[in-house]
Structures are given as structure tokens and as C-alpha cells.
């Protein structure tokens, strides 16, 4: 997925987590939060996400309905919150991508 999300599509957000930051094999819970201007935050949890502990990658596959509900020409922010097996909490800085409308 580039830094643009098209409404009405079903893209997958792929988040590469540096192994030097945290190993996903040591993570017990994950929250992926999305927020767009003027809308409430949407929280996805571990059961909503794909987690590849070998590659240390987290993925989220958007539904068509989710992308249709986004406001075009407004960016969407996302952020991770991770809880390790030992109970430590880690977070990432906020990242963004643009939302574009689809002609069809």
C-alpha cells in the first residue's frame, strides 16, 4: 500500500516493525488505531490483524465499507500500541496516509 488509500477499495496496510525495537513473538496484545479529522478513532485489536512473527510484520486488510466511510482529501492517521508478554507497553509515533476518492 502506498501512502494513498482509495475509497471503495480493499487495501492491506503493512507495518514493518524493526526487530531491534521489539520482536512480535514477545507481544501479547496489539492495538492499531485509525483516526481521521472529525471522526471517532477506530481501534483494531490483535484478532483483527495479521501478525507475522518471522518477518516481524503486522498487516491490516481494509474492507470496502471501511474505505467508503473515509473522507476523501483528508489524511488518516494510524498508530500502534503493543503490550508484551511481560506486561510492558510500547507505542509508535503517529503515521499518516492520504485518502482519495475513486471515480467509479
Amino acid at each position: 500500500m502506498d501512502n494513498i488509500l482509495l475509497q471503495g477499495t480493499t487495501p492491506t496496510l503493512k507495518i514493518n516493525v524493526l526487530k531491534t525495537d521489539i520482536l512480535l513473538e514477545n507481544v501479547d496484545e496489539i492495538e492499531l488505531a485509525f483516526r481521521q479529522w472529525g471522526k471517532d478513532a477506530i481501534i483494531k485489536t490483535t484478532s483483527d490483524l495479521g501478525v507475522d512473527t518471522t518477518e516481524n510484520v503486522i498487516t491490516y486488510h481494509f474492507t470496502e465499507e471501511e474505505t467508503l466511510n473515509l473522507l476523501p482529501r483528508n489524511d488518516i492517521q494510524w498508530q500502534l500500541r503493543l503490550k508484551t508478554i511481560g506486561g510492558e507497553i510500547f507505542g509508535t509515533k503517529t503515521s499518516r496516509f492520504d485518502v482519495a476518492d475513486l471515480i467509479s
Side-chain angles (χ1 to χ4, degrees):
M1 183 172 137
D2 294 321
N3 285 337
I4 297 176
L5 186 150
L6 291 173
Q7 282 187 307
T9 63
T10 58
T12 299
L13 173 63
K14 180 179 176 184
I15 304 166
N16 296 302
V17 179
L18 293 176
K19 291 182 179 183
T20 54
D21 289 341
I22 190 168
L23 294 174
L24 294 179
E25 66 190 31
N26 297 327
V27 172
D28 189 40
E29 296 176 32
I30 303 171
E31 285 183 356
L32 174 59
F34 296 101
R35 183 174 60 195
Q36 195 176 31
W37 184 85
K39 293 187 168 235
D40 292 333
I42 299 167
I43 308 293
K44 300 298 179 180
T45 60
T46 309
S47 62
D48 302 312
L49 306 170
V51 180
D52 181 337
T53 56
T54 303
E55 296 296 320
N56 227 49
V57 170
I58 298 168
T59 56
Y60 179 69
H61 188 77
F62 287 90
T63 66
E64 180 184 20
E65 181 180 356
E66 287 173 324
T67 62
L68 284 171
N69 285 326
L70 297 173
L71 300 170
R73 294 172 298 283
N74 287 284
D75 65 358
I76 188 168
Q77 301 174 342
W78 65 268
Q79 188 174 46
L80 281 175
R81 184 171 181 262
L82 308 141
K83 182 178 180 183
T84 67
I85 295 167
E88 296 294 317
I89 307 284
F90 295 89
T92 64
K93 67 179 184 175
T94 303
S95 295
R96 304 170 186 271
F97 51 89
D98 295 323
V99 178
D101 51 350
L102 195 62
I103 292 174
S104 65

